[in-house]
PDB file of all heavy atoms in Angstrom:
ATOM      1  N   ARG A 560      -6.828   9.489  -5.470  1.00 97.00           N
ATOM      2  CA  ARG A 560      -5.967   8.317  -5.574  1.00 97.00           C
ATOM      3  C   ARG A 560      -6.760   7.180  -6.237  1.00 97.00           C
ATOM      4  O   ARG A 560      -7.977   7.278  -6.418  1.00 97.00           O
ATOM      5  CB  ARG A 560      -5.473   7.932  -4.171  1.00 97.00           C
ATOM      6  CG  ARG A 560      -6.537   7.401  -3.267  1.00 97.00           C
ATOM      7  CD  ARG A 560      -6.062   7.308  -1.841  1.00 97.00           C
ATOM      8  NE  ARG A 560      -7.086   6.541  -1.101  1.00 97.00           N
ATOM      9  CZ  ARG A 560      -6.962   5.220  -0.878  1.00 97.00           C
ATOM     10  NH1 ARG A 560      -5.984   4.534  -1.326  1.00 97.00           N
ATOM     11  NH2 ARG A 560      -7.969   4.620  -0.204  1.00 97.00           N
ATOM     12  N   LYS A 617      -9.678   0.696   2.583  1.00 97.00           N
ATOM     13  CA  LYS A 617     -10.099  -0.106   1.375  1.00 97.00           C
ATOM     14  C   LYS A 617      -9.391  -1.465   1.351  1.00 97.00           C
ATOM     15  O   LYS A 617      -9.990  -2.498   1.110  1.00 97.00           O
ATOM     16  CB  LYS A 617      -9.768   0.690   0.125  1.00 97.00           C
ATOM     17  CG  LYS A 617     -10.624   1.988  -0.069  1.00 97.00           C
ATOM     18  CD  LYS A 617     -11.945   1.641  -0.732  1.00 97.00           C
ATOM     19  CE  LYS A 617     -12.678   2.873  -1.155  1.00 97.00           C
ATOM     20  NZ  LYS A 617     -13.277   3.649  -0.093  1.00 97.00           N
ATOM     21  N   LEU A 618      -8.032  -1.430   1.561  1.00 98.00           N
ATOM     22  CA  LEU A 618      -7.280  -2.673   1.417  1.00 98.00           C
ATOM     23  C   LEU A 618      -7.316  -3.461   2.684  1.00 98.00           C
ATOM     24  O   LEU A 618      -7.541  -4.706   2.682  1.00 98.00           O
ATOM     25  CB  LEU A 618      -5.830  -2.355   1.033  1.00 98.00           C
ATOM     26  CG  LEU A 618      -5.623  -1.519  -0.214  1.00 98.00           C
ATOM     27  CD1 LEU A 618      -4.123  -1.303  -0.509  1.00 98.00           C
ATOM     28  CD2 LEU A 618      -6.300  -2.087  -1.446  1.00 98.00           C
ATOM     29  N   SER A 639      -9.845   6.391  13.134  1.00 97.00           N
ATOM     30  CA  SER A 639     -11.233   6.691  13.651  1.00 97.00           C
ATOM     31  C   SER A 639     -11.915   5.381  13.960  1.00 97.00           C
ATOM     32  O   SER A 639     -11.545   4.361  13.410  1.00 97.00           O
ATOM     33  CB  SER A 639     -11.989   7.490  12.624  1.00 97.00           C
ATOM     34  OG  SER A 639     -12.029   6.776  11.385  1.00 97.00           O
ATOM     35  N   LYS A 641     -14.296   2.152  13.958  1.00 97.00           N
ATOM     36  CA  LYS A 641     -14.775   1.391  12.790  1.00 97.00           C
ATOM     37  C   LYS A 641     -15.596   0.168  13.271  1.00 97.00           C
ATOM     38  O   LYS A 641     -15.346  -0.318  14.362  1.00 97.00           O
ATOM     39  CB  LYS A 641     -13.596   0.763  11.978  1.00 97.00           C
ATOM     40  CG  LYS A 641     -12.896   1.664  11.090  1.00 97.00           C
ATOM     41  CD  LYS A 641     -13.080   1.272   9.607  1.00 97.00           C
ATOM     42  CE  LYS A 641     -13.319   2.415   8.688  1.00 97.00           C
ATOM     43  NZ  LYS A 641     -12.541   3.636   8.920  1.00 97.00           N
ATOM     44  N   TYR A 783      -3.979  11.619   3.804  1.00 96.00           N
ATOM     45  CA  TYR A 783      -4.365  10.413   2.997  1.00 96.00           C
ATOM     46  C   TYR A 783      -5.801  10.513   2.536  1.00 96.00           C
ATOM     47  O   TYR A 783      -6.531  11.383   3.022  1.00 96.00           O
ATOM     48  CB  TYR A 783      -4.172   9.115   3.797  1.00 96.00           C
ATOM     49  CG  TYR A 783      -5.118   8.861   4.968  1.00 96.00           C
ATOM     50  CD1 TYR A 783      -6.165   7.965   4.864  1.00 96.00           C
ATOM     51  CD2 TYR A 783      -4.921   9.532   6.173  1.00 96.00           C
ATOM     52  CE1 TYR A 783      -6.994   7.730   5.973  1.00 96.00           C
ATOM     53  CE2 TYR A 783      -5.729   9.340   7.280  1.00 96.00           C
ATOM     54  CZ  TYR A 783      -6.808   8.403   7.142  1.00 96.00           C
ATOM     55  OH  TYR A 783      -7.608   8.234   8.218  1.00 96.00           O
TER      56      TYR A 783
HETATM   57  P1  LIG B1482      -7.283   3.842   2.924  1.00 68.93           P
HETATM   58  O1  LIG B1482      -8.525   3.259   2.369  1.00 68.93           O
HETATM   59  O2  LIG B1482      -7.060   5.266   3.006  1.00 68.93           O
HETATM   60  O3  LIG B1482      -7.170   3.249   4.454  1.00 68.93           O
HETATM   61  C1  LIG B1482      -6.160   3.655   5.306  1.00 68.93           C
HETATM   62  C2  LIG B1482      -6.425   3.055   6.705  1.00 68.93           C
HETATM   63  O4  LIG B1482      -5.331   3.476   7.550  1.00 68.93           O
HETATM   64  C3  LIG B1482      -7.736   3.567   7.315  1.00 68.93           C
HETATM   65  O5  LIG B1482      -8.294   2.542   8.137  1.00 68.93           O
HETATM   66  C4  LIG B1482      -7.211   4.701   8.217  1.00 68.93           C
HETATM   67  O6  LIG B1482      -8.008   4.973   9.348  1.00 68.93           O
HETATM   68  C5  LIG B1482      -5.910   4.102   8.684  1.00 68.93           C
HETATM   69  N1  LIG B1482      -5.011   5.119   9.189  1.00 68.93           N
HETATM   70  C6  LIG B1482      -4.568   6.251   8.582  1.00 68.93           C
HETATM   71  N2  LIG B1482      -3.861   7.030   9.389  1.00 68.93           N
HETATM   72  C7  LIG B1482      -3.873   6.389  10.606  1.00 68.93           C
HETATM   73  C8  LIG B1482      -3.283   6.676  11.881  1.00 68.93           C
HETATM   74  N3  LIG B1482      -2.558   7.766  12.097  1.00 68.93           N
HETATM   75  N4  LIG B1482      -3.495   5.807  12.867  1.00 68.93           N
HETATM   76  C9  LIG B1482      -4.242   4.674  12.651  1.00 68.93           C
HETATM   77  N5  LIG B1482      -4.783   4.321  11.461  1.00 68.93           N
HETATM   78  C10 LIG B1482      -4.587   5.182  10.440  1.00 68.93           C
HETATM   79  O7  LIG B1482      -5.990   3.222   2.200  1.00 68.93           O
HETATM   80  P2  LIG B1482      -5.857   1.838   1.393  1.00 68.93           P
HETATM   81  O8  LIG B1482      -6.368   2.009  -0.014  1.00 68.93           O
HETATM   82  O9  LIG B1482      -6.415   0.764   2.235  1.00 68.93           O
HETATM   83  O10 LIG B1482      -4.267   1.729   1.284  1.00 68.93           O
HETATM   84  C11 LIG B1482      -3.417   1.715   2.395  1.00 68.93           C
HETATM   85  C12 LIG B1482      -1.934   1.853   1.963  1.00 68.93           C
HETATM   86  O11 LIG B1482      -1.483   0.625   1.425  1.00 68.93           O
HETATM   87  C13 LIG B1482      -1.646   2.902   0.949  1.00 68.93           C
HETATM   88  O12 LIG B1482      -1.588   4.183   1.480  1.00 68.93           O
HETATM   89  C14 LIG B1482      -0.349   2.447   0.351  1.00 68.93           C
HETATM   90  O13 LIG B1482       0.713   3.088   0.985  1.00 68.93           O
HETATM   91  C15 LIG B1482      -0.307   0.950   0.654  1.00 68.93           C
HETATM   92  N6  LIG B1482      -0.258   0.112  -0.575  1.00 68.93           N
HETATM   93  C16 LIG B1482       0.818  -0.696  -0.715  1.00 68.93           C
HETATM   94  C17 LIG B1482       0.845  -1.479  -1.818  1.00 68.93           C
HETATM   95  C18 LIG B1482       2.010  -2.476  -2.052  1.00 68.93           C
HETATM   96  O14 LIG B1482       2.108  -3.048  -3.128  1.00 68.93           O
HETATM   97  N7  LIG B1482       2.837  -2.704  -1.057  1.00 68.93           N
HETATM   98  C19 LIG B1482      -0.165  -1.468  -2.788  1.00 68.93           C
HETATM   99  C20 LIG B1482      -1.224  -0.569  -2.589  1.00 68.93           C
HETATM  100  C21 LIG B1482      -1.277   0.179  -1.483  1.00 68.93           C
HETATM  101  P3  LIG B1482      -9.566   5.537   9.180  1.00 68.93           P
HETATM  102  O15 LIG B1482     -10.338   4.301   8.714  1.00 68.93           O
HETATM  103  O16 LIG B1482      -9.891   5.999  10.475  1.00 68.93           O
HETATM  104  O17 LIG B1482      -9.474   6.591   8.148  1.00 68.93           O
END
Side-chain angles (χ1 to χ4, degrees):
R560 70 192 191 95
K617 294 273 190 288
L618 305 183
S639 56
K641 279 247 139 39
Y783 68 103

